[in-house]
Amino acid sequence: MRLNHADAQAAEEAACKYLRGQGFGIIERNWHCPYGEIDIVARKKQLLIFVEVKYRRSAAFGGVIHSITAAKKNKMQRSILAYLQQHPHRGDVRADAVLLQAGQALRHIENILD
């Protein structure tokens, strides 16, 4: 997520706070590779999660849920593989999304690549 916008920064902070509240430790934020960016990498015991954070001000164009496109998923999958090549992990791995839309509660979706 580009952090040049105050709402985007606040959304990512809210996602980190939520994940910490769920028992995850934040390992990386805004990790970049040639395929894209992973907003948050978090760990809880042997589970490593890669989190895409999306924020929308309104429900226009289908709302925040429709911002996770097939192209975004493909980039995320390639980015996760690149991360794991550089940082080997011997536990479970999962790709999640944390969605925030103005006026609605934070929504955590597990296994967005399945």
Side-chain angles (χ1 to χ4, degrees), residues 1 5 28 30 45 58 64-65 74 78 83 93 95 102 109:
M1 170 181 298
H5 191 276
E28 302 259 6
N30 308 112
K45 297 182 183 179
S58 73
V64 70
I65 190 69
N74 185 40
R78 293 173 72 190
Y83 183 92
V93 173
I109 302 175

Side-chain angles (χ1 to χ4, degrees), residues 32-100:
H32 291 270
C33 72
Y35 307 110
E37 175 187 54
I38 298 171
D39 294 327
I40 299 170
V41 181
R43 182 178 181 162
K44 182 178 188 179
K45 297 182 183 179
Q46 291 301 89
L47 173 61
L48 191 65
I49 64 169
F50 298 89
V51 182
E52 177 68 16
V53 179
K54 290 292 188 180
Y55 171 79
R56 292 293 181 267
R57 289 185 184 181
S58 73
F61 307 106
V64 70
I65 190 69
H66 291 286
S67 64
I68 307 289
T69 63
K72 180 62 195 169
K73 288 179 182 180
N74 185 40
K75 282 178 136 183
M76 189 174 187
Q77 188 168 27
R78 293 173 72 190
S79 297
I80 289 168
L81 292 174
Y83 183 92
L84 292 171
Q85 286 178 340
Q86 292 180 24
H87 307 90
H89 177 70
R90 291 189 176 255
D92 292 327
V93 173
R94 191 173 78 204
D96 292 2
V98 172
L99 309 176
L100 297 108

